């Protein structure tokens, strides 16, 4: 059914959770899956040797993790040779109005422009507000940002906005690109 590489960057853990979910879903569908943290990928890792690659990163202060950018930059030729997909995790993606999500789309496109990678499919994924995991300063800053955006400000709890059904559809679209993919009905 094909070997798939999932590489991700994550600062507070939500993109890691999403990458693991993608890996589990692909494994359940019969694929051989390797999930790696893009900050410390195995030295011998060659994305070009996989049948397909998914990369994910989250947005902090207006950009994706620089180590994910370095990873994609380094492997852009290989990534452009195999079926590939990119997902970008942010709070901006949680806005219901597409106009309000536009800044996240612009950051995603700038990332691809910078790296020269042309994935077959992309997705903006709504992330999480993990107040319980933030230090005091980060909690205060994030509460203020969330408040300004009309978001959730009760720092006594965490919030997850990820739309798992939308993620499933993204995985299905990616699987359809793989060699020997079953015909879509
Ligand atoms: C310090 C900090 C800065 C952030 N900056 C942005 C931002 O500029 N734009 C945005 O849409 N989301 C921003 N977020 C929200 C994150 O993208 C969101 O919490 C995401 O789920 C983080 O994913 P991760 O846990 O995989 O790092 C920020 C979050 C933190 C904690």
């Amino acid at each position: 059914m094909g070997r798939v590489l999932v590489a991700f960057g994550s600062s507070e853990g939500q993109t890691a959770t999403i990458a693991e979910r993608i890996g589990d879903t692909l494994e359940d569908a019969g694929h051989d899956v390797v999930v790696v943290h893009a900050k410390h990928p195995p030295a011998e890792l060659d994305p070009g040797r996989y049948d397909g690659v998914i990369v994910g990163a989250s947005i902090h202060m207006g950009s994706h993790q620089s180590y994910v950018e370095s990873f994609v930059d380094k492997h852009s030729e290989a990534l452009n040779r195999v079926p590939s997909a990119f997902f970008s995790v942010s709070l901006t993606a949680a806005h219901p109005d597409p106009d309000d999500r536009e800044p996240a789309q612009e950051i995603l496109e700038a990332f691809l422009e910078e790296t020269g990678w042309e994935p077959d499919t992309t997705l903006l994924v709504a992330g999480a507000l993990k107040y319980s995991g933030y230090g005091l300063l980060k909690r205060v800053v994030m509460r203020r940002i969330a408040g300004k955006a009309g978001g959730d400000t009760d720092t006594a709890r965490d919030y997850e906005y990820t739309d798992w059904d939308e993620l499933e559809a993204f995985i299905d679209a990616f699987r359809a690109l793989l060699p020997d993919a079953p015909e879509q009905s």
Side-chain angles (χ1 to χ4, degrees):
M1 289 292 279
R3 296 176 72 225
V4 178
L5 173 67
V6 181
F8 69 92
S10 184
S11 304
E12 286 91 33
Q14 188 65 10
T15 313
T17 302
I18 295 165
E20 290 297 339
R21 174 73 72 96
I22 292 172
D24 290 347
T25 304
L26 289 170
E27 248 169 32
D28 288 348
H31 299 279
D32 278 339
V33 187
V34 174
V35 180
V36 299
H37 199 303
K39 198 173 194 173
H40 35 71
E44 72 285 358
L45 185 73
D46 178 2
R49 300 188 66 167
Y50 289 81
D51 297 305
V53 182
I54 300 182
V55 178
S58 57
I59 297 177
H60 287 76
M61 301 301 172
S63 56
H64 296 97
Q65 284 86 4
S66 56
Y67 59 83
V68 180
E69 190 163 328
S70 302
F71 176 87
V72 170
D73 214 29
K74 179 176 174 190
H75 297 294
S76 60
E77 271 182 36
L79 290 171
N80 284 333
R81 276 202 311 271
V82 298
S84 65
F86 178 54
F87 66 94
S88 165
V89 179
S90 68
L91 285 183
T92 306
H95 285 288
D97 184 338
D99 285 349
D100 292 333
R101 293 199 294 271
E102 192 53 32
Q105 185 64 30
E106 284 169 13
I107 292 167
L108 181 153
E109 281 164 19
F111 175 91
L112 298 179
E113 180 86 33
E114 275 300 310
T115 56
W117 179 29
E118 296 178 353
D120 298 286
T121 181
T122 64
L123 182 69
L124 297 181
V125 182
L129 265 175
K130 297 189 174 176
Y131 287 119
S132 67
Y134 302 155
L136 180 61
L137 183 61
K138 209 185 251 191
R139 199 176 315 140
V140 170
V141 169
M142 290 313 291
R143 184 177 189 278
R144 188 171 308 153
I145 291 172
K148 273 193 189 157
D152 295 304
T153 53
D154 178 1
T155 57
R157 53 159 292 195
D158 293 342
Y159 299 88
E160 186 188 78
Y161 308 104
T162 306
D163 181 338
W164 298 104
D165 291 337
E166 194 180 41
L167 189 77
E168 290 293 324
F170 172 73
I171 299 168
D172 283 348
F174 170 75
R175 288 190 61 219
L177 300 167
L178 296 175
D180 303 325
E183 294 270 323
Q184 298 268 306
S185 55

